[in-house]
Every structure is written in C-alpha cells, then in structure tokens.
Amino acid sequence: MSYTVINPATEEAMETVEHVDLEGVDAAVALATKAQKEWARLNPADRAAALRRFADAVDGDVETLAQLEVRNSGHPIGQARWEAEHVRNVLEYYAATPERMFGKQIPVAGGIDMTFQEPLGVVGVITPWNFPMTIAAWGFAPALAAGNAVLLKPAEWTPLSSIRLGQLALESGLPEGLFQVLPGKGSIVGERFVTHESIRKVVFTGSTEVGKKIMAGCAHQVKRVTLELGGKSANIVFADADLEKAAATAPYAVFENAGQDCCARSRILVERKAYDRFLELLEPAVKGVKVGDPTLESTEMGPLVSKGHFDSVSSFIDSDAPVAFRGSAPEGDGFWFAPTVLTPTSRKHRSMTEEIFGPVVSVVPFDDEADALELTNSTEYGLSGSIWTRDVGRAIRIARGVESGNLSVNSHSSVRYNTPFGGFKQSGLGRELGPDAHLAFTETKNVFIPAD
Ligand code: NAP
Ligand code: MG
C-alpha cells in the first residue's frame, strides 16, 4: 500500500510514500529492541554527544525541512522554519539529559537506598498532521535521551518531514534501528504499536476519539501512555484590559496554522460592557490576516491540510451559521478557507462546544469573573487559554480557576521546549517538554544495599 502526498495549496500530487505493513512493523520492533539494549549500555556522555550530532544535522537541514512542510502541510515558510528550528532546540535541550538522569539517595536504616531511572525499552510515537515534525520531536527527543529506542508513525497525509528526520538521524550517526520512521495507516501501524508486547509505551497526539481507543487498548498490557488530544480553549477578555492589543492579537491566537492547532483559542469570551467595542476592534484585525501562498515570507495563514478536512470545517458554516464577519482567502485550487468570526447567541451552539480545527472563532459575552470561569470550564477539554486584564489579582484568580494546562496572561504564548505542555480533562494525559519530560520515558527503580 502507498499514499500520494498532495500539496494543499495547489492540489498537486507530490510524491508517493510506501506504507509499512504489519510484518514491517514487527521487523522494525525487533531491530529497535536490539538497538535499544546497546544504546542504553553506552556511556551517558556518548549518548549526549550522539543527540547533539543529530541536533546539528537538523540545524544544517532547517531549510529543506521547512520547504517540505510548506509543500506537504501548507504551512507558511516563516512558521515552517520556526518548526524545524524548534526540532533542533528540542534535541539540543534533551541532549543534556543522559548526563543528568539523577536518581535519589534516600535515608533509611541499615544501609544505603538509591533510585535509578531506567529506560522503558521501545517507545511508539503516533503523530497528527497539524504540526508533524515538532510534535514528533516532543516524543522522540526525550525518549531517546532517556535510553529508549523510538518508532515514529507520522500521519498519513503529512509524512515527509518525519521521513527526512529519520534520514538525518542515520546520517548523523545514530545507531541503525534506534529511531525508525514507519509511514502507514493508523489502523495498521498505529494499532500495532498498541498490541505489540515489546513496545512498552505509546505517545499519541491526535483526536480525543482515537486517544481513548489507544488508552483502552494499552490497558490490556498495562502499557504506558501519554496523550495529547483536542482543545476548545478560551481567550478571556475583561473590560479593563488593553482592548486594542487584545483584539489585534486575538486572530493569531486562533487562525495560526489555519486554526489547525490544538491550542487554538477558538472561543473569545468578552466582558459584556466591552463586547461591542471589542468586536469593532477585532474586525479590521481579522481582515488584515494575510492568507495566501505559503511559500511567501509575508504570508501569515495558508490553506487547510486536505479536501476531507476542508469539508469538515465547512460543515460549521452553513446558511444558519451566525457569521459576524470574515477575512479573505485566495480563490481557485487549494483548500482555502477565510478566517471566520461567529457571534452565536447560545452558549450551547455547536461552534462553542465542538473542536472545529479550522479558522473559525466564536465571540460571546460574559458578566463577571464567576461567569467567565463557568463558561470557560464548561467543556470536556482543558488544553490552553489566555487571560486579558490589567488587574494582577484578577489575572491570578482566573489563571488558578481555569481548568487547563497552559495559560498566558496578556499574551498568547505558544509552546516552549523548556516548559511543560499538556492537557487537563479530556485534552490529554501526562506532560511533554520541559525539565521533566524524559522521566515519562523511564521507570523508577529502588535499590537497597545493607551496610553490614
Ligand atoms: P487522529 O485521527 O486522531 O490521528 C492522529 C494519528 O493517529 C494519525 O497518525 C493517525 O493515522 C493515527 N491513528 C488513527 N487511528 C488510529 C488507531 N486506531 N490506532 C492508532 N493510531 C491511529 O487525529 P488527526 O485527524 O490527525 O488530528 C486532528 C486532531 O488531533 C484534533 O482533534 C486535534 O486537537 C488533535 N491534536 C492535539 C494536539 C495536542 O497536543 N493536544 C496536537 C495536535 C493535534 P492516520 O494518519 O493514518 O489517520
Ligand atoms: Mg483522523
């Protein structure tokens, strides 16, 4: 089986990628199992050096990786370069881990007690199509650093940058079999990661629906799992905020990557007395978003990733949709979708509860702090969010009250490799990135040695 990759900005066929079948996955697991044992035995400084060489190889290939993401995923070139550099940064950051895999020495009677962080073995990483290479790196970099082997299954639609990363790993001298990229179907390669007994952990990023299936499947082997799932995040704007700045930045907090971002602030909640003024300020900001050819440096938003996804997003904008205003998008070939602002009158409107994963945002009013928190938390998701106010105490109260893993005040912070990232509630399980991510790829072992 194979899949022909389509450029979403032009609808042109790019290249055909051969899919790995079940036997191929099993062969890769066997190779990875062997490579992992040798990797874990290496001295920590040598493992660190190998990861730094991998980071250097990515650094030398930033432009190629970025161009692949422009053509395969439709990401604007400026964004795609950031993503490739981010992969390098994540590798560099976790290259420090092998020499800092500290255990604890715990005071006990009669001897010495200490803990070790042991690698799990082979880890399977399953990625979605929205940020193919960055999300892959969040899994493979700390997993390798902690002494594991990694099998990576990219999304069927967007495998090219991941395949390139697999080549770079080998070219940089990482042992054969230690990091393998296995393009293929979720129902074949992804499911085999869940059922294969030698794969000790699955890291999954994607829809909540598939994440639940993976968690249930992993339960049969008590297999470790990290899940990064959907979101319906809120951008909460109080009347005392810098409304000009809040409105000018709000489009980029939801329309970046054409809204195909699990952190998209797809609900803008505005204190009622500032609601009309905020919408007045938001309209020119939305109309000013530069949507177009992703190969141009000036482009801020590209197309949606595929025809199938275009149809899914379009289903939210039927003739009854409460459209307030829209930005612009190119006509003709490509899966283009203009930024769209909705003003639903019901808080239960579909656009307020479902993850659209496209450039569509709903703006609704709230009354006071308690109402803002109730509305914000009235979702099964809890991934990110923003809070706009000049009142420091209120910022703290709201930040502590929102049931979500990643918040920013008077800003819309994107992901940083050195801070933890992950979701509350049905947005996920576990945390990626930051100083502790490698621990999620280890088991703690306790050893006691008597003093007599
Ligand atoms: P998806 O359908 O859940 O797919 C994600 C990955 O899982 C793909 O590689 C897919 O393979 C694979 N897969 C599908 N069915 C599987 C199964 N039964 N067993 C194992 N693997 C399987 O999600 P998507 O459509 O790619 O991405 C959009 C969703 O991802 C959104 O809901 C979004 O919020 C979420 N997301 C969350 C985060 C986060 O960090 N929290 C980040 C990005 C995206 P195929 O390509 O073959 O289908
Ligand atoms: Mg899917």
Side-chain angles (χ1 to χ4, degrees):
M1 278 211 298
S2 63
Y3 179 78
T4 300
V5 173
I6 305 290
N7 182 331
T10 62
E11 300 182 43
E12 280 161 2
M14 289 178 62
E15 60 190 81
T16 298
V17 172
E18 285 305 315
H19 275 181
V20 174
D21 59 11
L22 275 185
E23 291 72 37
V25 179
D26 290 0
V29 175
L31 207 60
T33 304
K34 189 164 164 290
Q36 189 270 330
K37 292 199 166 67
E38 287 162 26
W39 176 244
R41 270 199 299 268
L42 271 188
N43 104 40
D46 289 342
R47 268 191 280 138
L51 290 173
R52 283 195 293 269
R53 282 194 295 272
F54 186 8
D56 288 346
V58 172
D59 186 59
D61 207 61
V62 162
E63 194 55 31
T64 304
L65 286 165
Q67 294 292 350
L68 279 176
E69 214 63 275
V70 170
R71 294 192 300 132
N72 190 172
S73 306
H75 293 193
I77 181 65
Q79 172 68 36
R81 285 194 188 109
W82 182 93
E83 291 166 28
E85 286 164 3
H86 180 81
V87 174
R88 174 205 60 207
N89 293 344
V90 172
L91 275 166
E92 274 176 0
Y93 183 71
Y94 289 107
T97 294
E99 294 176 283
R100 290 171 175 79
M101 291 269 286
F102 306 120
K104 289 187 172 125
Q105 180 269 313
I106 300 172
V108 295
I112 299 175
D113 190 282
M114 51 197 168
T115 65
F116 295 87
Q117 295 307 133
E118 304 286 16
L120 301 174
V122 180
V123 172
V125 177
I126 302 171
T127 54
W129 45 258
N130 61 333
F131 287 108
M133 64 178 143
T134 54
I135 292 173
W138 303 353
F140 70 68
L144 291 170
N148 301 280
V150 175
L151 303 178
L152 167 63
K153 190 209 97 65
E156 188 178 26
W157 291 341
T158 58
L160 298 186
S161 57
S162 297
I163 292 171
R164 181 72 192 139
L165 286 171
Q167 291 165 352
L168 291 170
L170 276 180
E171 286 169 19
S172 74
L174 222 59
E176 213 182 317
L178 187 70
F179 173 50
Q180 301 173 62
V181 180
L182 309 179
K185 286 215 162 290
S187 55
I188 296 174
V189 179
E191 281 194 18
R192 189 64 183 138
F193 286 6
V194 174
T195 58
H196 199 302
E197 294 203 343
S198 297
I199 295 186
R200 305 291 187 194
K201 171 161 187 160
V202 174
V203 178
F204 171 82
T205 303
S207 61
T208 298
E209 184 193 352
V210 175
K212 286 177 185 175
K213 273 178 67 179
I214 286 182
M215 190 175 177
C218 285
H220 291 289
Q221 295 167 21
V222 197
K223 189 174 291 198
R224 277 61 179 147
V225 67
T226 294
L227 303 173
E228 298 286 1
L229 309 173
K232 191 71 198 171
S233 296
N235 178 5
I236 311 166
V237 183
F238 285 92
D240 69 357
D242 180 342
L243 287 185
E244 280 73 17
K245 192 169 173 194
T249 56
Y252 300 95
V254 58
F255 301 144
E256 210 168 71
N257 204 25
Q260 304 166 122
D261 183 340
C262 48
C263 289
R265 277 70 162 173
S266 55
R267 295 181 296 158
I268 304 180
L269 318 182
V270 186
E271 193 171 353
R272 197 174 299 277
K273 59 187 174 209
Y275 184 76
D276 291 341
R277 175 68 186 140
F278 182 84
L279 278 173
E280 251 171 52
L281 292 165
L282 185 65
E283 186 163 352
V286 168
K287 293 189 168 160
V289 176
K290 297 187 191 75
V291 182
D293 181 354
T295 64
L296 300 178
E297 306 266 348
S298 56
T299 295
E300 294 175 325
M301 188 184 122
L304 291 170
V305 69
S306 69
K307 175 72 169 74
H309 190 55
F310 174 88
D311 290 342
S312 153
V313 175
S314 300
S315 76
F316 284 85
I317 312 300
D318 57 17
S319 53
D320 295 337
V323 176
F325 47 85
R326 303 187 77 176
S328 62
E331 310 258 320
D333 289 346
F335 310 120
W336 301 102
F337 200 95
T340 302
V341 176
L342 306 179
T343 47
T345 47
S346 164
R347 293 179 172 193
K348 303 231 180 314
H349 189 264
R350 190 178 166 218
S351 70
M352 287 290 288
T353 57
E354 293 179 35
E355 181 178 50
I356 302 172
F357 226 56
V360 179
V361 69
S362 300
V363 190
V364 298
F366 67 82
D367 294 317
D368 54 20
E369 283 187 26
D371 189 37
L373 279 180
E374 188 184 314
L375 182 52
T376 300
N377 292 335
S378 64
T379 163
E380 75 227 35
Y381 296 119
L383 193 54
S384 74
S386 304
I387 300 155
W388 289 79
T389 174
R390 286 191 169 100
D391 179 334
V392 177
R394 168 179 280 161
I396 294 170
R397 288 191 296 277
I398 299 295
R400 296 301 304 269
V402 174
E403 296 163 351
S404 168
N406 310 273
L407 295 167
S408 54
V409 175
N410 296 330
S411 58
H412 305 288
S413 77
S414 61
V415 167
R416 294 186 196 83
Y417 61 83
N418 42 15
T419 60
F421 175 76
F424 278 35
K425 302 192 284 190
Q426 293 190 33
S427 282
L429 184 73
R431 291 291 178 274
E432 301 191 285
L433 299 174
D436 303 324
H438 59 283
L439 296 177
F441 296 99
T442 65
E443 295 287 1
T444 301
K445 180 184 283 172
N446 192 69
V447 177
F448 172 73
I449 308 172
D452 56 12

